[in-house]
């Protein structure tokens, strides 16, 4: 293998590593930060930045590499779309300069801004749309006079892959927003279907008891007993819905959050709800933050189904960890079902959540034999 081939392989490996680092992240802000860091390392630049333009002459986001938080605070507000940034947005083409300070478009920097000299800027495009501008400055090895043609080609290749990562992150965030809306709509339906109906029945029964109070004291006591029962059921339903409306707090980790959630449901319902942990001390499961969130949400949905629809006496949540995966099983001894249940019981949403973290969801159910929902997230 020639020296040129060896250098090409090293370059391709570096690009591949940079792209993989970017695509591991899901939020737009994280993707932008990793793009900037990876680009600076890839081309050995002292400074790197990425700006996402808005429609008001400024930038919706602007992330930097090589500048400390204190230095960034001293620099001041986000830059406007002027000078070289405006020229790049207008021309929509890569720009490589030996000294940015000598260009006609250069308009100076804030006092605390670092001094930039050699400059390389490349747009991140999705078709005709400019998603952002990534630019590097002050190449650490200036023996060749700053950035080269090869550097420009390499950054353009990386920017093309970065565009895919940014687009995917935007789609992921949009899908997450839609999921939140769907969850709110479901909870609104629960408030109407479960709590509102019970309160309506409670009101009618109380009226009946009042009408019977004088002429039939025995029936009145029976009706008042029904009032007490329905009031307790409505209170339990309302507590459960309010608890579900609270955002998931996973600051203490998945295990502690699941255990707390199960304890609250056990108090709110007549059904016995229990939590079990196998194969881990629970201190730190080897899961990413988004994986923990998915496990928690699927557990919530499965518990919701078991408590509201299964007529179960017992529900068990079991979390286990092995070298291969983390597994969650929510099982009940309720009515079960045959085939796909009517209305879906949120199964489509659970499956989508499982797929989003590379997991697999399976459901074992039979009429009269209960239901078990199992999620496995590979490590």
């Amino acid at each position: 293998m020639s020296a040129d081939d060896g250098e090409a392989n090293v370059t391709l490996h570096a690009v591949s590593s940079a792209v993989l680092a970017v695509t591991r992240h899901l939020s737009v802000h994280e993707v932008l930060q990793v793009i900037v860091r990876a680009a600076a390392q890839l081309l050995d630049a002292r400074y790197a930045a990425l700006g996402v333009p808005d429609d008001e002459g400024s930038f919706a986001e602007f992330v930097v590499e090589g500048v400390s938080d204190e230095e960034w605070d001293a620099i001041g507000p986000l830059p406007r779309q002027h000078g070289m940034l405006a020229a790049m947005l207008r021309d929509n083409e890569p720009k490589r300069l030996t000294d940015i300070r000598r260009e006609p478009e250069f308009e100076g920097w804030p006092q605390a801004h670092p001094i930039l000299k050699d400059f390389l800027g490349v747009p991140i495009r999705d078709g005709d749309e400019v998603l952002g501008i990534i630019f590097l400055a002050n190449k650490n090895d200036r023996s060749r006079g700053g950035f080269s043609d090869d550097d420009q080609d390499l950054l353009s290749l990386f920017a093309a892959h970065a565009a895919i990562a940014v687009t995917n992150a935007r789609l992921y965030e949009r899908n997450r927003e839609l999921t939140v809306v769907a969850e709110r709509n479901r909870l609104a339906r629960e408030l109407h279907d479960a709590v509102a109906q019970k309160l309506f029945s409670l009101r009618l029964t109380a009226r009946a008891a009042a009408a019977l109070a004088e002429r039939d004291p025995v029936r009145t006591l029976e009706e008042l007993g029904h009032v007490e029962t329905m009031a307790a059921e409505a209170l339990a339903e309302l507590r459960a819905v309010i608890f579900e409306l609270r955002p998931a707090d996973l600051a203490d980790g998945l295990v502690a959050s699941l255990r707390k959630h199960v304890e609250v449901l056990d108090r709110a319902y007549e059904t016995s709800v229990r939590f079990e942990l196998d194969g881990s001390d629970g201190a730190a499961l080897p899961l990413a933050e988004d994986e923990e969130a998915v496990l928690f949400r699927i557990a919530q949905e499965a518990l919701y189904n078991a408590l509201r629809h299964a007529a179960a006496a017992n529900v068990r949540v079991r979390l286990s960890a092995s070298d291969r995966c983390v597994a969650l099983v929510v099982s009940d001894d309720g009515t079960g079902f045959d085939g796909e249940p009517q209305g879906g019981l949120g199964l489509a949403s659970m499956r989508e959540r499982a797929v989003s973290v590379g997991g697999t969801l399976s459901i074992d159910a039979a009429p009269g034999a209960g239901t078990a929902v199992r999620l496995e997230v590979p490590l």
Side-chain angles (χ1 to χ4, degrees):
M1 182 175 65
S2 67
D4 288 343
D5 290 338
E7 185 175 347
N9 286 335
V10 170
T11 300
L12 287 173
H13 178 73
V15 173
S16 176
S17 298
V19 170
L20 287 173
V22 172
T23 54
R24 287 192 189 102
H25 297 267
L26 291 174
S27 79
V28 173
H29 187 71
E30 285 179 335
V31 166
L32 298 180
Q33 288 181 317
V34 178
I35 287 173
V36 168
R37 189 175 305 118
Q41 295 173 352
L42 190 62
L43 278 84
D44 192 27
R46 175 69 180 84
Y47 300 107
L50 194 161
V52 177
D54 61 17
D55 297 327
E56 300 177 358
S58 184
F59 287 86
E61 292 203 63
F62 201 90
V63 295
V64 297
E65 179 73 9
V67 178
S68 68
D69 292 339
E70 293 77 12
E71 291 171 329
W72 185 243
D73 291 339
I75 291 172
L78 291 179
R80 306 287 298 173
Q81 296 175 18
H82 64 90
M84 189 57 64
L85 295 177
M88 290 195 63
L89 285 171
R90 181 185 65 247
D91 299 339
N92 197 14
E93 294 293 336
K95 192 173 288 289
R96 181 163 50 92
L97 307 170
T98 303
D99 191 340
I100 188 176
R101 298 169 295 180
R102 297 178 182 176
E103 297 302 310
E105 295 93 345
F106 179 69
E107 298 180 4
W109 300 299
Q111 184 176 359
H113 198 286
I115 302 300
L116 310 183
K117 186 180 178 184
D118 43 313
F119 174 93
L120 175 61
V122 170
I124 299 176
R125 291 191 294 254
D126 180 17
D128 295 331
E129 180 187 2
V130 177
L131 302 178
I133 303 171
I134 182 169
F135 52 90
L136 310 177
N138 297 15
K139 191 171 178 69
N140 289 319
D141 180 9
R142 298 189 182 182
S143 60
R144 299 182 181 179
F147 297 102
S148 64
D149 289 339
D150 290 340
D151 289 332
Q152 181 174 322
D153 292 341
L154 187 58
L155 187 59
S156 297
L157 175 63
F158 178 62
H161 289 85
I164 298 172
V166 172
T167 301
N168 286 342
R170 285 182 171 180
L171 290 173
Y172 173 79
E173 290 194 348
R174 178 59 179 160
N175 182 65
R176 186 166 55 185
E177 290 171 3
L178 293 173
T179 300
V180 169
V181 171
E183 186 73 3
R184 286 176 178 170
N185 290 338
R186 181 183 69 79
L187 290 171
R189 289 194 302 271
E190 281 304 311
L191 279 170
H192 178 270
D193 295 343
V195 181
Q197 289 181 15
K198 278 190 170 61
L199 291 176
F200 181 72
S201 298
L202 182 63
R203 182 183 178 188
L204 292 179
T205 307
R207 282 183 177 178
L212 292 168
E214 293 184 2
R215 67 175 186 270
D216 195 342
V218 175
R219 282 281 309 280
T220 299
L221 290 176
E222 291 178 0
E223 294 299 327
L224 288 176
H226 294 155
V227 167
E228 182 180 3
T229 300
M230 284 188 288
E233 291 175 353
L235 181 60
E237 292 277 2
L238 189 57
R239 282 175 175 170
V241 171
I242 290 173
F243 187 76
E244 288 185 46
L245 282 170
R246 295 174 182 169
D249 181 10
L250 297 174
D252 296 329
L254 176 64
V255 173
S257 299
L258 264 180
R259 181 176 282 115
K260 178 181 177 182
H261 187 68
V262 165
E263 289 173 355
V264 170
L265 294 178
D266 184 56
R267 292 195 300 268
Y269 287 88
E270 294 296 327
T271 304
S272 172
V273 189
R274 295 291 181 265
F275 175 77
E276 298 177 7
L277 177 66
D278 294 333
S280 171
D281 60 6
L285 288 172
L287 293 169
E289 183 178 337
D290 59 322
E291 292 171 332
E292 287 198 343
V294 164
L295 277 157
F296 187 79
R297 289 304 186 191
I298 288 179
Q300 276 188 310
E301 187 73 36
L303 282 165
Y304 164 84
N305 290 338
L307 293 170
R308 305 288 179 83
H309 303 295
N314 299 280
V315 178
R316 184 178 69 168
V317 179
R318 183 168 176 264
L319 189 66
S320 60
S322 66
D323 294 336
R324 185 177 63 87
C325 71
V326 172
L328 168 75
V329 179
V330 179
S331 58
D332 66 70
D333 59 0
T335 56
F337 54 86
D338 187 14
E340 194 78 3
Q342 187 176 5
L345 299 182
L347 298 185
S349 173
M350 285 193 282
R351 289 193 174 105
E352 288 175 4
R353 290 181 190 272
V355 170
S356 72
V357 293
T360 56
L361 186 79
S362 60
I363 299 170
D364 183 16
T371 303
V373 177
R374 181 180 181 85
L375 169 67
E376 290 188 358
V377 177
L379 300 178

